[in-house]
């Protein structure tokens, strides 16, 4: 009888555990971790033949960057949630083939996504999401070769575009979980380079060169999360 009772209790705990770890309607989740923004390569090109014919049309490359990221999500049904991504600023170097580093910029990438969670009653909870991103650029400026020439670099436009994601929550207990996610974000902007008079032979006025920069990064994240039960 005792063995039967023990087995019954063990079975009850085993089957109850997934329910205790479930994503329930009304829950709120906070995730904190690190993410790497890895831009597409190359990110555009620039015609430098007027500066030096040997340089020709050169690729523009935006380096990857790590930063601290935060997300908050609300589970309004067992399967559906809405999530907002925020971050500490990402800091990227900007390089041009043949010239090396020419500048840098910082950005903030607030992203709003609608998520679908496939297995809300499981400790392993995979999901997909889609939404919109608004990238804010700031603290951009010249560096390296461009600074030595007396030039100026400016990122002219913020970016508004599509964002998609896949991710996985693993519930450690009722409240704590770890998270991994992968995002693709469409980020496009314009860069303006200003060269002082005389850098390009024959010029008596500053020369401006404007080029499209398609960053379009993959974003890799690892996070620790906390669940706030809704009821």
């Amino acid at each position: 009888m005792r063995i039967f009772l023990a087995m019954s209790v063990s079975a009850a705990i085993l089957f109850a555990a997934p329910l205790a770890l479930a994503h329930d309607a009304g829950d709120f989740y906070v995730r904190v971790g690190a993410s790497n923004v890895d831009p597409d390569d190359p990110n555009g090109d620039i015609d430098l033949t007027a500066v030096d014919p040997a340089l020709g049309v050169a690729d523009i490359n935006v380096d990857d960057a790590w930063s601290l990221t935060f997300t908050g999500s609300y589970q309004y049904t067992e399967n559906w949630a809405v999530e907002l991504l925020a971050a500490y600023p990402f800091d990227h170097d900007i390089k041009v083939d043949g010239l090396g580093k020419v500048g840098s910029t910082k950005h903030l990438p607030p992203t709003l996504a609608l998520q679908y969670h496939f297995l809300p009653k499981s400790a392993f909870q995979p999901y997909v999401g889609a939404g919109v991103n608004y990238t804010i650029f700031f603290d951009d400026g010249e560096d390296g070769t461009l600074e030595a020439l007396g030039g100026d670099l400016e990122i002219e436009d913020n970016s508004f575009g599509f964002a998609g994601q896949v991710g996985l929550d693993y519930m450690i207990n009722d409240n704590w979980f770890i998270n991994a996610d992968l995002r693709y974000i469409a980020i496009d902007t314009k860069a303006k380079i200003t060269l002082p008079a005389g850098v390009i032979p024959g010029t008596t006025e500053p020369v401006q060169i404007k080029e499209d920069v398609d960053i379009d990064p993959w974003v890799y994240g690892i996070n620790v999360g906390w669940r706030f039960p809704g009821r």
Side-chain angles (χ1 to χ4, degrees):
M1 183 66 179
R2 290 179 181 176
I3 295 176
F4 177 78
L5 180 60
M7 292 176 62
S8 299
V9 171
S10 298
I13 293 172
L14 180 64
F15 285 102
L19 297 178
L21 300 176
H23 278 20
D24 294 322
D27 287 353
F28 184 77
Y29 298 84
V30 174
R31 300 169 180 84
V32 179
S35 293
N36 178 260
V37 173
D38 187 14
D40 191 17
D41 185 21
N43 307 110
D45 55 55
I46 182 170
D47 188 351
L48 296 174
T49 53
V51 179
D52 183 348
L55 294 174
V57 177
D59 288 338
I60 301 170
N61 294 288
V62 180
D63 279 356
D64 70 313
W66 285 91
S67 191
L68 188 66
T69 48
F70 321 87
T71 65
S73 64
Y74 176 71
Q75 200 83 20
Y76 62 91
T77 73
E78 287 185 348
N79 295 102
W80 291 97
V82 61
E83 179 194 69
L84 178 64
L85 166 71
Y88 190 78
F90 290 86
D91 191 350
H92 297 272
D93 289 339
I94 302 171
K95 299 177 181 178
V96 173
D97 286 356
L99 297 179
K101 182 179 178 181
V102 297
S104 62
T105 188
K106 294 180 180 179
H107 85 271
L108 289 171
T111 304
L112 185 65
L114 180 66
Q115 298 175 337
Y116 182 81
H117 293 252
F118 294 95
L119 303 171
K121 299 299 185 183
S122 170
F124 287 94
Q125 302 189 16
Y127 60 87
V128 295
V132 292
N133 164 266
Y134 183 70
T135 296
I136 304 163
F137 294 97
F138 63 100
D139 279 359
D140 43 89
E142 64 283 350
D143 205 340
T145 304
L146 185 59
E147 185 177 30
L149 291 172
D152 178 74
L153 171 70
E154 181 183 352
I155 303 298
E156 289 198 300
D157 299 326
N158 294 330
S159 172
F160 182 81
F162 168 80
Q165 68 176 152
V166 294
L168 174 71
D169 291 332
Y170 174 68
M171 304 300 298
I172 299 170
N173 56 35
D174 286 355
N175 298 108
W176 287 101
F177 61 96
I178 55 176
N179 167 268
D181 67 8
L182 170 66
R183 301 171 189 263
Y184 175 80
I185 303 178
I187 301 177
D188 303 317
T189 186
K190 289 184 181 293
K192 180 175 73 175
I193 294 176
T194 303
L195 297 172
V199 170
I200 297 177
T203 59
T204 57
E205 298 289 336
V207 175
Q208 291 185 346
I209 304 172
K210 295 185 180 182
E211 296 292 344
D212 293 332
V213 180
D214 301 326
I215 300 174
D216 298 339
W218 290 97
V219 184
Y220 311 92
I222 184 74
N223 307 280
V224 175
W226 179 264
R227 168 180 175 255
F228 296 89
R231 51 179 178 266

